[in-house]
Coordinates of all heavy atoms in Angstrom, one line a residue:
P5 N -0.9 -18.2 -20.7 CA -2.2 -17.6 -20.8 C -2.2 -16.2 -21.5 O -1.1 -15.7 -21.8 CB -2.6 -17.4 -19.3 CG -1.2 -17.3 -18.6 CD -0.3 -18.2 -19.4
Y6 N -3.3 -15.7 -21.7 CA -3.4 -14.3 -22.2 C -3.6 -13.4 -21.1 O -4.1 -13.8 -20.0 CB -4.6 -14.2 -23.2 CG -4.2 -14.7 -24.6 CD1 -4.0 -16.1 -24.8 CD2 -4.0 -13.9 -25.7 CE1 -3.6 -16.6 -26.0 CE2 -3.6 -14.4 -26.9 CZ -3.4 -15.7 -27.1 OH -3.0 -16.2 -28.3
V7 N -3.2 -12.1 -21.2 CA -3.3 -11.1 -20.1 C -4.0 -9.9 -20.7 O -3.8 -9.5 -21.8 CB -2.0 -10.8 -19.5 CG1 -1.3 -12.0 -18.8 CG2 -1.0 -10.2 -20.5
V8 N -4.8 -9.2 -19.8 CA -5.3 -7.9 -20.1 C -4.3 -6.9 -19.7 O -3.8 -6.9 -18.6 CB -6.7 -7.7 -19.4 CG1 -7.3 -6.4 -19.9 CG2 -7.6 -8.8 -19.6
T9 N -4.1 -5.9 -20.6 CA -3.1 -4.9 -20.4 C -3.7 -3.5 -20.3 O -4.9 -3.3 -20.4 CB -2.0 -5.0 -21.5 OG1 -2.6 -4.7 -22.7 CG2 -1.3 -6.4 -21.5
E10 N -2.8 -2.5 -20.3 CA -3.2 -1.1 -19.9 C -4.3 -0.5 -20.7 O -5.1 0.2 -20.1 CB -1.9 -0.2 -20.0 CG -2.2 1.2 -19.5 CD -0.9 2.0 -19.3 OE1 0.2 1.5 -19.8 OE2 -0.9 3.1 -18.8
N11 N -4.4 -0.8 -22.0 CA -5.4 -0.1 -22.8 C -6.8 -0.5 -22.4 O -7.8 0.2 -22.9 CB -5.1 -0.2 -24.3 CG -5.7 1.0 -25.0 OD1 -5.8 2.1 -24.5 ND2 -6.2 0.7 -26.2
C12 N -7.0 -1.5 -21.7 CA -8.4 -1.9 -21.2 C -8.9 -0.8 -20.2 O -10.1 -0.6 -20.2 CB -8.4 -3.3 -20.5 SG -10.0 -3.7 -19.9
I13 N -8.0 -0.2 -19.5 CA -8.4 0.7 -18.4 C -9.2 1.8 -19.0 O -8.8 2.5 -20.0 CB -7.2 1.3 -17.7 CG1 -6.4 0.2 -17.0 CG2 -7.6 2.4 -16.7 CD1 -5.0 0.6 -16.4
A14 N -10.4 2.0 -18.5 CA -11.4 3.1 -18.9 C -11.9 2.9 -20.3 O -12.7 3.7 -20.8 CB -10.7 4.5 -18.8
C15 N -11.6 1.8 -20.9 CA -12.3 1.4 -22.2 C -13.3 0.3 -21.9 O -14.5 0.4 -22.1 CB -11.3 0.9 -23.2 SG -10.4 2.2 -24.1
K16 N -12.8 -0.8 -21.3 CA -13.7 -1.8 -20.7 C -14.9 -2.2 -21.7 O -16.0 -2.1 -21.3 CB -14.2 -1.4 -19.4 CG -14.6 -2.5 -18.4 CD -15.3 -1.9 -17.2 CE -15.6 -3.0 -16.2 NZ -16.3 -2.4 -15.0
Y17 N -14.5 -2.5 -22.9 CA -15.6 -2.8 -23.9 C -16.3 -4.1 -23.6 O -17.4 -4.3 -24.0 CB -14.9 -2.9 -25.3 CG -14.5 -1.6 -25.9 CD1 -13.2 -1.2 -26.0 CD2 -15.5 -0.7 -26.3 CE1 -12.8 0.0 -26.6 CE2 -15.1 0.6 -26.8 CZ -13.7 0.9 -27.0 OH -13.4 2.1 -27.5
M18 N -15.6 -5.0 -23.0 CA -16.2 -6.3 -22.5 C -16.7 -7.2 -23.7 O -17.4 -8.2 -23.4 CB -17.4 -6.1 -21.6 CG -16.9 -5.4 -20.3 SD -18.2 -5.2 -19.0 CE -18.3 -6.8 -18.3
D19 N -16.2 -7.0 -24.9 CA -16.5 -8.0 -26.0 C -15.8 -9.3 -25.6 O -16.2 -10.4 -26.1 CB -16.0 -7.4 -27.3 CG -16.7 -6.2 -27.7 OD1 -17.8 -6.0 -27.2 OD2 -16.2 -5.5 -28.6
C20 N -14.7 -9.2 -24.9 CA -13.9 -10.4 -24.5 C -14.8 -11.4 -23.7 O -14.7 -12.6 -23.9 CB -12.7 -10.0 -23.7 SG -13.1 -8.9 -22.3
V21 N -15.6 -10.8 -22.9 CA -16.4 -11.7 -22.0 C -17.4 -12.6 -22.8 O -17.6 -13.8 -22.4 CB -17.2 -10.8 -21.0 CG1 -18.2 -11.6 -20.2 CG2 -16.3 -10.0 -20.1
E22 N -17.9 -12.0 -23.9 CA -18.9 -12.8 -24.7 C -18.3 -14.0 -25.4 O -19.0 -14.9 -25.7 CB -19.5 -11.9 -25.7 CG -20.4 -10.9 -25.1 CD -21.4 -10.3 -26.2 OE1 -20.9 -9.9 -27.2 OE2 -22.6 -10.4 -26.0
V23 N -17.0 -13.9 -25.7 CA -16.4 -15.0 -26.5 C -15.6 -16.0 -25.7 O -15.3 -17.1 -26.2 CB -15.5 -14.4 -27.6 CG1 -16.3 -13.6 -28.5 CG2 -14.3 -13.6 -27.0
C24 N -15.2 -15.7 -24.5 CA -14.4 -16.7 -23.7 C -15.1 -18.0 -23.4 O -16.1 -18.0 -22.7 CB -13.9 -16.0 -22.4 SG -12.8 -17.1 -21.5
P25 N -14.6 -19.1 -23.8 CA -15.2 -20.4 -23.6 C -15.2 -20.8 -22.2 O -16.0 -21.7 -21.8 CB -14.5 -21.4 -24.5 CG -13.1 -20.7 -24.8 CD -13.3 -19.3 -24.7
V26 N -14.3 -20.3 -21.4 CA -14.2 -20.8 -20.0 C -14.6 -19.7 -19.0 O -14.4 -19.9 -17.8 CB -12.8 -21.4 -19.7 CG1 -12.6 -22.6 -20.5 CG2 -11.7 -20.3 -19.9
E27 N -15.1 -18.5 -19.4 CA -15.5 -17.4 -18.6 C -14.5 -17.1 -17.5 O -14.8 -17.2 -16.3 CB -16.9 -17.8 -17.9 CG -18.0 -18.0 -19.0 CD -19.4 -18.0 -18.4 OE1 -19.5 -18.4 -17.2 OE2 -20.3 -17.8 -19.1
C28 N -13.3 -16.8 -17.9 CA -12.2 -16.6 -16.9 C -11.9 -15.1 -16.8 O -10.8 -14.7 -16.4 CB -11.0 -17.4 -17.2 SG -10.2 -17.0 -18.8
F29 N -12.9 -14.2 -17.1 CA -12.7 -12.8 -16.9 C -13.2 -12.3 -15.5 O -14.3 -12.8 -15.1 CB -13.3 -12.0 -18.0 CG -12.5 -12.0 -19.3 CD1 -12.7 -13.0 -20.2 CD2 -11.5 -11.1 -19.5 CE1 -12.0 -13.0 -21.4 CE2 -10.7 -11.1 -20.7 CZ -11.0 -12.1 -21.6
Y30 N -12.5 -11.4 -14.9 CA -12.9 -10.8 -13.6 C -12.9 -9.3 -13.7 O -12.1 -8.7 -14.4 CB -11.9 -11.3 -12.5 CG -12.0 -12.8 -12.3 CD1 -11.5 -13.7 -13.3 CD2 -12.7 -13.4 -11.3 CE1 -11.7 -15.1 -13.2 CE2 -12.9 -14.7 -11.1 CZ -12.3 -15.6 -12.1 OH -12.5 -16.9 -11.9
E31 N -13.9 -8.7 -13.0 CA -14.2 -7.3 -13.2 C -13.9 -6.4 -12.1 O -14.4 -6.5 -11.0 CB -15.7 -7.2 -13.5 CG -16.2 -5.8 -13.8 CD -17.6 -5.7 -14.1 OE1 -18.4 -6.6 -13.8 OE2 -18.0 -4.7 -14.7
G32 N -13.0 -5.4 -12.4 CA -12.8 -4.3 -11.5 C -13.6 -3.1 -12.0 O -14.4 -3.2 -12.9
E33 N -13.4 -2.0 -11.3 CA -14.2 -0.8 -11.6 C -14.0 -0.3 -13.0 O -15.0 0.0 -13.7 CB -13.8 0.3 -10.6 CG -14.9 0.7 -9.7 CD -14.5 1.7 -8.7 OE1 -14.1 2.8 -9.1 OE2 -14.5 1.4 -7.5
N34 N -12.8 -0.2 -13.5 CA -12.6 0.3 -14.9 C -11.8 -0.6 -15.8 O -11.3 -0.2 -16.8 CB -12.2 1.7 -14.9 CG -10.8 1.9 -14.3 OD1 -10.1 1.0 -13.9 ND2 -10.3 3.2 -14.3
M35 N -11.5 -1.9 -15.4 CA -10.9 -2.8 -16.3 C -11.2 -4.2 -15.9 O -11.7 -4.5 -14.8 CB -9.4 -2.6 -16.4 CG -8.5 -3.4 -15.4 SD -6.7 -3.2 -15.7 CE -6.3 -4.4 -17.0
L36 N -11.0 -5.2 -16.8 CA -11.1 -6.6 -16.5 C -9.7 -7.2 -16.5 O -8.8 -6.7 -17.0 CB -11.9 -7.3 -17.6 CG -13.4 -6.8 -17.9 CD1 -14.0 -7.8 -18.8 CD2 -14.2 -6.6 -16.7
V37 N -9.7 -8.4 -15.9 CA -8.4 -9.2 -15.9 C -8.8 -10.6 -16.2 O -10.0 -11.0 -16.1 CB -7.6 -9.1 -14.6 CG1 -7.0 -7.7 -14.3 CG2 -8.5 -9.6 -13.4
I38 N -7.8 -11.4 -16.6 CA -8.0 -12.8 -16.9 C -7.3 -13.6 -15.8 O -6.2 -13.2 -15.3 CB -7.3 -13.1 -18.3 CG1 -8.0 -12.5 -19.4 CG2 -7.1 -14.7 -18.5 CD1 -7.3 -12.5 -20.8
H39 N -8.0 -14.7 -15.4 CA -7.3 -15.6 -14.4 C -6.3 -16.5 -15.2 O -6.7 -17.3 -16.0 CB -8.4 -16.4 -13.7 CG -7.8 -17.1 -12.5 ND1 -6.7 -17.9 -12.5 CD2 -8.3 -17.1 -11.2 CE1 -6.5 -18.4 -11.3 NE2 -7.4 -17.9 -10.5
P40 N -5.0 -16.3 -14.9 CA -4.0 -17.0 -15.7 C -4.1 -18.5 -15.6 O -3.8 -19.2 -16.6 CB -2.7 -16.5 -15.1 CG -3.0 -15.3 -14.3 CD -4.4 -15.4 -13.9
D41 N -4.6 -19.0 -14.5 CA -4.7 -20.5 -14.4 C -5.9 -21.1 -15.0 O -6.0 -22.3 -15.2 CB -4.6 -20.9 -12.9 CG -3.3 -20.5 -12.3 OD1 -2.3 -20.3 -13.0 OD2 -3.3 -20.2 -11.0
Q42 N -6.9 -20.2 -15.3 CA -8.1 -20.7 -15.9 C -8.2 -20.5 -17.5 O -8.9 -21.2 -18.2 CB -9.3 -20.0 -15.3 CG -9.5 -20.3 -13.8 CD -10.5 -19.4 -13.1 OE1 -11.1 -18.4 -13.7 NE2 -10.8 -19.7 -11.9
C43 N -7.4 -19.6 -17.9 CA -7.3 -19.3 -19.4 C -6.7 -20.5 -20.1 O -5.7 -21.1 -19.7 CB -6.4 -18.1 -19.6 SG -6.0 -17.8 -21.4
I44 N -7.4 -21.0 -21.2 CA -6.9 -22.1 -21.9 C -6.1 -21.8 -23.2 O -5.9 -22.6 -24.0 CB -8.1 -23.1 -22.2 CG1 -9.1 -22.4 -23.1 CG2 -8.7 -23.7 -21.0 CD1 -10.2 -23.3 -23.7
D45 N -5.8 -20.5 -23.2 CA -4.9 -20.1 -24.3 C -5.5 -20.2 -25.7 O -4.8 -20.4 -26.7 CB -3.6 -20.9 -24.3 CG -2.4 -20.1 -23.9 OD1 -2.5 -18.9 -23.9 OD2 -1.4 -20.7 -23.5
C46 N -6.8 -20.0 -25.8 CA -7.4 -20.2 -27.1 C -7.2 -19.0 -28.1 O -7.2 -19.1 -29.3 CB -8.9 -20.5 -27.0 SG -9.9 -19.0 -26.5
G47 N -7.0 -17.8 -27.5 CA -6.7 -16.6 -28.3 C -7.9 -15.9 -28.9 O -7.7 -14.9 -29.6
I48 N -9.1 -16.4 -28.7 CA -10.2 -15.8 -29.3 C -10.4 -14.3 -28.8 O -10.7 -13.5 -29.6 CB -11.5 -16.6 -29.0 CG1 -11.4 -18.0 -29.6 CG2 -12.7 -15.9 -29.6 CD1 -12.5 -18.9 -29.2
C49 N -10.3 -14.1 -27.6 CA -10.5 -12.8 -27.0 C -9.5 -11.7 -27.6 O -9.9 -10.6 -27.7 CB -10.4 -12.8 -25.5 SG -8.8 -13.4 -24.8
E50 N -8.3 -12.1 -27.9 CA -7.4 -11.2 -28.4 C -7.9 -10.5 -29.6 O -7.8 -9.3 -29.8 CB -6.0 -11.9 -28.7 CG -5.0 -11.0 -29.3 CD -3.7 -11.7 -29.7 OE1 -3.7 -12.9 -29.8 OE2 -2.7 -11.0 -30.0
R51 N -8.5 -11.3 -30.5 CA -9.0 -10.7 -31.8 C -10.3 -9.9 -31.6 O -10.6 -9.0 -32.4 CB -9.4 -11.9 -32.7 CG -8.2 -12.7 -33.1 CD -8.5 -13.7 -34.2 NE -9.4 -14.8 -33.9 CZ -9.0 -15.9 -33.3 NH1 -7.7 -16.1 -33.1 NH2 -9.8 -16.9 -33.0
E52 N -11.0 -10.1 -30.5 CA -12.3 -9.4 -30.3 C -12.1 -8.1 -29.6 O -13.0 -7.2 -29.7 CB -13.2 -10.3 -29.4 CG -13.7 -11.6 -30.1 CD -14.5 -11.3 -31.4 OE1 -15.3 -10.4 -31.4 OE2 -14.2 -12.1 -32.4
C53 N -11.1 -7.8 -28.9 CA -10.9 -6.6 -28.1 C -10.7 -5.4 -29.0 O -9.7 -5.3 -29.7 CB -9.8 -6.7 -27.1 SG -9.5 -5.2 -26.2
P54 N -11.7 -4.4 -29.0 CA -11.5 -3.2 -29.8 C -10.4 -2.3 -29.4 O -9.9 -1.5 -30.1 CB -12.9 -2.5 -29.6 CG -13.8 -3.5 -29.0 CD -12.9 -4.4 -28.2
A55 N -9.9 -2.6 -28.2 CA -8.7 -1.7 -27.7 C -7.4 -2.5 -27.8 O -6.4 -1.9 -27.4 CB -9.0 -1.4 -26.2
A56 N -7.4 -3.6 -28.4 CA -6.2 -4.5 -28.6 C -5.4 -4.6 -27.2 O -4.2 -4.5 -27.2 CB -5.3 -3.9 -29.6
A57 N -6.2 -4.7 -26.2 CA -5.6 -4.7 -24.8 C -5.2 -6.1 -24.4 O -4.6 -6.3 -23.3 CB -6.6 -4.2 -23.8
I58 N -5.6 -7.2 -25.1 CA -5.4 -8.5 -24.6 C -4.2 -9.1 -25.4 O -4.2 -9.1 -26.7 CB -6.6 -9.4 -24.8 CG1 -7.8 -8.8 -24.1 CG2 -6.3 -10.9 -24.4 CD1 -9.1 -9.6 -24.2
R59 N -3.2 -9.5 -24.7 CA -1.9 -10.0 -25.3 C -1.5 -11.4 -24.7 O -1.9 -11.7 -23.6 CB -0.8 -9.0 -25.0 CG -1.0 -7.5 -25.1 CD -1.5 -7.1 -26.4 NE -0.7 -7.7 -27.5 CZ -1.2 -7.8 -28.8 NH1 -2.4 -7.4 -29.1 NH2 -0.4 -8.3 -29.7
P60 N -0.8 -12.2 -25.5 CA -0.3 -13.4 -25.0 C 0.9 -13.1 -24.0 O 1.6 -12.2 -24.3 CB 0.2 -14.2 -26.3 CG 0.4 -13.1 -27.3 CD -0.5 -12.0 -27.0
D61 N 0.9 -13.9 -23.0 CA 2.0 -13.6 -22.0 C 3.4 -14.0 -22.5 O 4.4 -13.7 -21.8 CB 1.7 -14.3 -20.6 CG 2.1 -15.7 -20.6 OD1 2.0 -16.4 -21.7 OD2 2.4 -16.2 -19.5
T62 N 3.5 -14.6 -23.7 CA 4.8 -14.9 -24.3 C 5.4 -13.6 -24.9 O 6.6 -13.6 -25.2 CB 4.6 -15.9 -25.4 OG1 3.5 -15.5 -26.2 CG2 4.3 -17.3 -24.8
E63 N 4.6 -12.6 -25.0 CA 5.1 -11.3 -25.5 C 6.0 -10.7 -24.5 O 5.8 -10.8 -23.3 CB 3.9 -10.4 -25.8 CG 4.0 -9.7 -27.2 CD 2.7 -8.9 -27.5 OE1 2.5 -7.8 -26.8 OE2 1.9 -9.4 -28.3
A64 N 7.1 -10.0 -25.0 CA 8.0 -9.4 -24.1 C 7.4 -8.3 -23.2 O 6.5 -7.6 -23.7 CB 9.2 -8.8 -24.9
G65 N 7.9 -8.1 -22.0 CA 7.6 -7.0 -21.2 C 6.2 -7.1 -20.5 O 5.7 -6.0 -20.0
L66 N 5.6 -8.2 -20.4 CA 4.3 -8.3 -19.8 C 4.2 -8.9 -18.4 O 3.2 -9.2 -17.9 CB 3.3 -9.1 -20.8 CG 3.0 -8.4 -22.1 CD1 2.0 -9.3 -22.9 CD2 2.4 -7.0 -21.9
H67 N 5.4 -9.1 -17.8 CA 5.4 -9.7 -16.5 C 4.6 -9.0 -15.5 O 3.8 -9.6 -14.7 CB 6.9 -9.8 -16.0 CG 7.7 -10.9 -16.7 ND1 7.4 -12.2 -16.6 CD2 8.7 -10.7 -17.6 CE1 8.3 -12.9 -17.4 NE2 9.0 -12.0 -18.0
A68 N 4.7 -7.7 -15.5 CA 4.0 -6.9 -14.5 C 2.4 -7.0 -14.7 O 1.7 -7.1 -13.7 CB 4.4 -5.4 -14.5
W69 N 2.1 -7.1 -16.0 CA 0.6 -7.3 -16.3 C 0.1 -8.6 -15.9 O -1.0 -8.8 -15.5 CB 0.4 -6.9 -17.8 CG 0.5 -5.4 -18.0 CD1 1.5 -4.8 -18.6 CD2 -0.5 -4.5 -17.5 NE1 1.2 -3.4 -18.5 CE2 0.1 -3.2 -17.9 CE3 -1.7 -4.5 -16.8 CZ2 -0.6 -2.0 -17.5 CZ3 -2.3 -3.3 -16.5 CH2 -1.8 -2.1 -16.9
L70 N 1.0 -9.6 -16.1 CA 0.6 -11.0 -15.7 C 0.4 -11.0 -14.2 O -0.6 -11.6 -13.7 CB 1.7 -12.0 -16.1 CG 1.4 -13.5 -15.7 CD1 0.1 -14.0 -16.3 CD2 2.6 -14.3 -16.2
D71 N 1.3 -10.4 -13.5 CA 1.1 -10.3 -12.0 C -0.2 -9.6 -11.6 O -0.9 -10.1 -10.7 CB 2.3 -9.6 -11.4 CG 3.6 -10.4 -11.4 OD1 3.5 -11.7 -11.7 OD2 4.7 -9.9 -11.1
L72 N -0.4 -8.5 -12.3 CA -1.7 -7.8 -12.0 C -2.9 -8.6 -12.3 O -3.9 -8.6 -11.5 CB -1.7 -6.4 -12.8 CG -2.8 -5.5 -12.5 CD1 -2.3 -4.0 -12.6 CD2 -4.0 -5.7 -13.4
N73 N -2.9 -9.3 -13.4 CA -4.1 -10.2 -13.8 C -4.2 -11.3 -12.7 O -5.3 -11.6 -12.3 CB -3.9 -10.8 -15.2 CG -4.3 -9.9 -16.3 OD1 -5.2 -10.2 -17.0 ND2 -3.6 -8.7 -16.4
R74 N -3.1 -11.9 -12.3 CA -3.2 -12.9 -11.3 C -3.7 -12.4 -10.0 O -4.6 -13.0 -9.4 CB -1.8 -13.6 -11.1 CG -1.8 -14.7 -10.1 CD -0.5 -15.4 -10.0 NE 0.0 -16.0 -11.3 CZ -0.4 -17.2 -11.8 NH1 -1.4 -17.8 -11.2 NH2 0.0 -17.6 -12.9
H75 N -3.2 -11.2 -9.6 CA -3.6 -10.7 -8.3 C -5.1 -10.3 -8.2 O -5.8 -10.8 -7.3 CB -2.7 -9.4 -8.0 CG -3.1 -8.7 -6.7 ND1 -2.7 -9.3 -5.5 CD2 -3.8 -7.6 -6.5 CE1 -3.2 -8.5 -4.5 NE2 -3.8 -7.5 -5.1
Y76 N -5.5 -9.6 -9.2 CA -6.9 -9.1 -9.2 C -8.0 -10.1 -9.5 O -9.1 -10.1 -9.1 CB -7.1 -7.8 -10.0 CG -6.4 -6.6 -9.2 CD1 -5.2 -6.1 -9.7 CD2 -7.0 -6.1 -8.1 CE1 -4.6 -5.1 -9.0 CE2 -6.4 -5.1 -7.4 CZ -5.2 -4.6 -7.8 OH -4.6 -3.6 -7.1
S77 N -7.6 -11.2 -10.3 CA -8.5 -12.2 -10.6 C -8.8 -13.0 -9.3 O -9.8 -13.8 -9.3 CB -8.0 -13.1 -11.7 OG -6.8 -13.8 -11.4
G78 N -7.9 -12.9 -8.4 CA -8.2 -13.6 -7.1 C -9.1 -12.8 -6.1 O -9.5 -13.3 -5.1
I79 N -9.3 -11.5 -6.5 CA -10.1 -10.6 -5.6 C -11.4 -10.2 -6.2 O -12.4 -10.1 -5.5 CB -9.2 -9.4 -5.3 CG1 -7.9 -9.7 -4.6 CG2 -10.0 -8.3 -4.5 CD1 -7.0 -8.6 -4.5
W80 N -11.4 -9.8 -7.5 CA -12.6 -9.3 -8.2 C -13.6 -10.4 -8.5 O -13.2 -11.6 -8.6 CB -12.2 -8.6 -9.4 CG -11.4 -7.3 -9.2 CD1 -11.2 -6.6 -8.1 CD2 -10.6 -6.6 -10.2 NE1 -10.4 -5.5 -8.3 CE2 -10.0 -5.5 -9.6 CE3 -10.4 -6.8 -11.6 CZ2 -9.2 -4.6 -10.3 CZ3 -9.6 -5.9 -12.3 CH2 -9.1 -4.8 -11.7
P81 N -14.8 -10.0 -8.7 CA -15.9 -11.0 -9.1 C -15.7 -11.5 -10.5 O -15.3 -10.7 -11.4 CB -17.2 -10.3 -8.9 CG -16.8 -8.8 -9.0 CD -15.4 -8.7 -8.5
R82 N -16.0 -12.7 -10.7 CA -16.1 -13.3 -12.1 C -17.2 -12.6 -12.9 O -18.3 -12.3 -12.3 CB -16.3 -14.8 -12.0 CG -16.0 -15.5 -13.2 CD -16.0 -17.0 -12.9 NE -15.3 -17.8 -13.9 CZ -14.8 -19.0 -13.7 NH1 -15.0 -19.6 -12.6 NH2 -14.2 -19.6 -14.7
V83 N -17.0 -12.3 -14.1 CA -18.0 -11.7 -14.9 C -18.5 -12.6 -16.0 O -17.7 -13.2 -16.7 CB -17.5 -10.3 -15.4 CG1 -16.3 -10.4 -16.2 CG2 -18.6 -9.6 -16.2
H84 N -19.8 -12.7 -16.2 CA -20.3 -13.7 -17.1 C -21.0 -13.0 -18.3 O -21.2 -13.7 -19.4 CB -21.4 -14.6 -16.4 CG -20.8 -15.3 -15.2 ND1 -20.1 -16.5 -15.4 CD2 -20.9 -15.0 -13.9 CE1 -19.8 -16.9 -14.2 NE2 -20.2 -16.1 -13.3
Q85 N -21.4 -11.8 -18.2 CA -22.1 -11.1 -19.2 C -21.5 -9.8 -19.6 O -21.2 -9.0 -18.7 CB -23.6 -10.9 -18.8 CG -24.4 -12.1 -19.1 CD -25.9 -11.7 -19.0 OE1 -26.3 -11.0 -18.1 NE2 -26.7 -12.2 -19.9
K86 N -21.5 -9.5 -20.9 CA -21.1 -8.2 -21.3 C -22.0 -7.1 -20.8 O -23.3 -7.3 -20.9 CB -21.0 -8.2 -22.8 CG -20.6 -6.8 -23.5 CD -20.6 -7.0 -25.0 CE -20.8 -5.7 -25.7 NZ -19.6 -4.8 -25.7
K87 N -21.5 -6.0 -20.4 CA -22.3 -4.8 -20.1 C -21.9 -3.6 -21.0 O -20.9 -3.8 -21.7 CB -22.1 -4.4 -18.6 CG -22.4 -5.4 -17.6 CD -21.8 -5.0 -16.2 CE -21.7 -6.3 -15.3 NZ -20.9 -6.0 -14.1
S88 N -22.6 -2.5 -20.9 CA -22.2 -1.4 -21.8 C -20.9 -0.8 -21.3 O -20.6 -0.7 -20.1 CB -23.3 -0.3 -21.6 OG -24.5 -0.8 -22.0
P89 N -20.0 -0.5 -22.3 CA -18.8 0.2 -21.9 C -19.0 1.6 -21.4 O -20.1 2.2 -21.6 CB -18.0 0.2 -23.3 CG -19.0 0.0 -24.3 CD -20.2 -0.7 -23.7
P90 N -18.0 2.2 -20.8 CA -18.2 3.6 -20.3 C -18.4 4.5 -21.5 O -18.0 4.3 -22.7 CB -16.8 4.0 -19.7 CG -16.0 2.7 -19.6 CD -16.7 1.7 -20.5
D91 N -19.1 5.7 -21.3 CA -19.5 6.6 -22.4 C -18.3 7.1 -23.2 O -18.4 7.3 -24.4 CB -20.3 7.8 -21.8 CG -21.6 7.4 -21.3 OD1 -22.1 6.4 -21.8 OD2 -22.2 8.2 -20.5
N92 N -17.2 7.3 -22.5 CA -16.0 7.9 -23.1 C -15.0 6.8 -23.5 O -13.8 7.1 -23.8 CB -15.4 8.9 -22.2 CG -14.9 8.3 -20.9 OD1 -15.2 7.2 -20.6 ND2 -14.1 9.1 -20.2
A93 N -15.5 5.6 -23.7 CA -14.5 4.5 -24.0 C -13.7 4.8 -25.3 O -12.5 4.6 -25.3 CB -15.3 3.2 -24.1
D94 N -14.4 5.2 -26.3 CA -13.7 5.5 -27.6 C -12.7 6.6 -27.5 O -11.7 6.6 -28.1 CB -14.7 5.8 -28.7 CG -15.6 4.6 -29.1 OD1 -15.2 3.4 -28.7 OD2 -16.6 4.7 -29.7
I95 N -13.0 7.6 -26.6 CA -12.0 8.7 -26.4 C -10.8 8.2 -25.7 O -9.7 8.6 -25.9 CB -12.7 9.8 -25.6 CG1 -13.8 10.5 -26.5 CG2 -11.7 10.9 -25.2 CD1 -14.8 11.4 -25.8
M96 N -11.0 7.3 -24.7 CA -10.0 6.8 -23.9 C -9.1 5.7 -24.6 O -8.0 5.3 -24.2 CB -10.5 6.2 -22.6 CG -11.1 7.3 -21.7 SD -9.9 8.6 -21.3 CE -8.7 7.7 -20.3
N97 N -9.6 5.2 -25.7 CA -8.9 4.1 -26.4 C -7.6 4.7 -27.0 O -7.6 5.5 -27.8 CB -9.8 3.6 -27.6 CG -9.2 2.3 -28.2 OD1 -8.1 1.9 -27.9 ND2 -10.0 1.7 -29.1
G98 N -6.5 4.2 -26.4 CA -5.2 4.6 -26.9 C -4.6 5.8 -26.1 O -3.5 6.2 -26.3
A99 N -5.3 6.3 -25.1 CA -4.8 7.4 -24.2 C -3.6 6.9 -23.5 O -3.4 5.7 -23.2 CB -5.9 7.8 -23.2
A100 N -2.7 7.9 -23.2 CA -1.4 7.5 -22.5 C -1.6 7.4 -21.0 O -2.5 7.9 -20.4 CB -0.4 8.7 -22.8
A101 N -0.6 6.7 -20.4 CA -0.5 6.6 -19.0 C -1.8 6.3 -18.2 O -2.1 6.9 -17.3 CB 0.1 7.9 -18.5
K102 N -2.5 5.3 -18.7 CA -3.8 5.0 -18.1 C -3.6 4.3 -16.7 O -4.6 4.3 -16.0 CB -4.6 4.0 -19.0 CG -5.1 4.7 -20.2 CD -6.1 3.7 -20.8 CE -6.6 4.0 -22.1 NZ -7.6 2.9 -22.5
M103 N -2.5 3.8 -16.4 CA -2.3 3.2 -15.1 C -2.6 4.2 -14.0 O -3.0 3.8 -12.9 CB -0.9 2.6 -15.0 CG -0.7 1.5 -13.9 SD -1.9 0.2 -14.1 CE -2.0 -0.4 -12.3
S104 N -2.4 5.5 -14.3 CA -2.6 6.5 -13.3 C -4.1 6.6 -13.0 O -4.5 7.2 -11.9 CB -2.1 7.8 -13.8 OG -2.8 8.2 -14.9
I105 N -5.0 6.1 -13.8 CA -6.4 6.1 -13.5 C -7.0 4.8 -13.2 O -8.2 4.6 -13.1 CB -7.3 6.8 -14.6 CG1 -7.0 6.2 -16.0 CG2 -6.9 8.3 -14.6 CD1 -8.0 6.6 -17.0
F106 N -6.1 3.8 -13.1 CA -6.6 2.4 -12.7 C -7.4 2.5 -11.4 O -7.0 3.1 -10.5 CB -5.3 1.5 -12.6 CG -5.6 0.1 -12.0 CD1 -6.3 -0.8 -12.8 CD2 -5.2 -0.2 -10.7 CE1 -6.6 -2.1 -12.3 CE2 -5.5 -1.5 -10.2 CZ -6.2 -2.4 -11.0
S107 N -8.5 1.8 -11.4 CA -9.4 1.9 -10.3 C -9.8 0.5 -9.9 O -10.3 -0.3 -10.7 CB -10.6 2.7 -10.7 OG -11.5 2.8 -9.6
K108 N -9.5 0.1 -8.6 CA -9.8 -1.2 -8.1 C -11.3 -1.4 -7.9 O -11.7 -2.5 -7.6 CB -9.0 -1.5 -6.9 CG -7.5 -1.4 -7.1 CD -6.8 -1.3 -5.7 CE -5.3 -0.8 -6.0 NZ -4.6 -0.7 -4.7
Ligands
SF4_17 FE1 -10.7 -16.9 -22.5 FE2 -9.4 -17.9 -24.6 FE3 -9.1 -15.3 -23.9 FE4 -8.0 -17.2 -22.4 S1 -7.4 -16.7 -24.5 S2 -9.2 -15.5 -21.7 S3 -9.6 -18.8 -22.6 S4 -11.0 -16.3 -24.7
F3S18 FE1 -11.0 -4.7 -21.8 FE2 -10.9 -5.3 -24.4 FE3 -12.2 -6.8 -22.8 S1 -11.1 -3.2 -23.5 S2 -13.0 -5.4 -21.2 S3 -10.1 -6.4 -22.7 S4 -12.8 -6.3 -24.8

């Protein structure tokens, strides 16, 4: 599957939600995650994310992010429609150490 990674935090553009054919995105306060068992690996969302936050889980070093996506997709509500991103999304795009502001 594909996984949402750190740069989604506080950017949350939600362009990914509009293109996913199986609606497998789940919404936390300041990031989204993908349900790994529902993702059909189409890769469309990876190209749409303005923050380049969506990666294939075959990429090295993503185990912790896969675990986080699995965990929170079991808890957070499924999201069907794109909403407006946070006002400071563009400023936060690429900011360092965003896990420190991760909000459930
Ligand atoms: Fe949805 Fe395809 Fe992205 Fe998986 S890779 S989350 S199925 S758009
Ligand atoms: Fe996050 Fe990118 Fe989607 S910033 S909400 S993964 S479009």
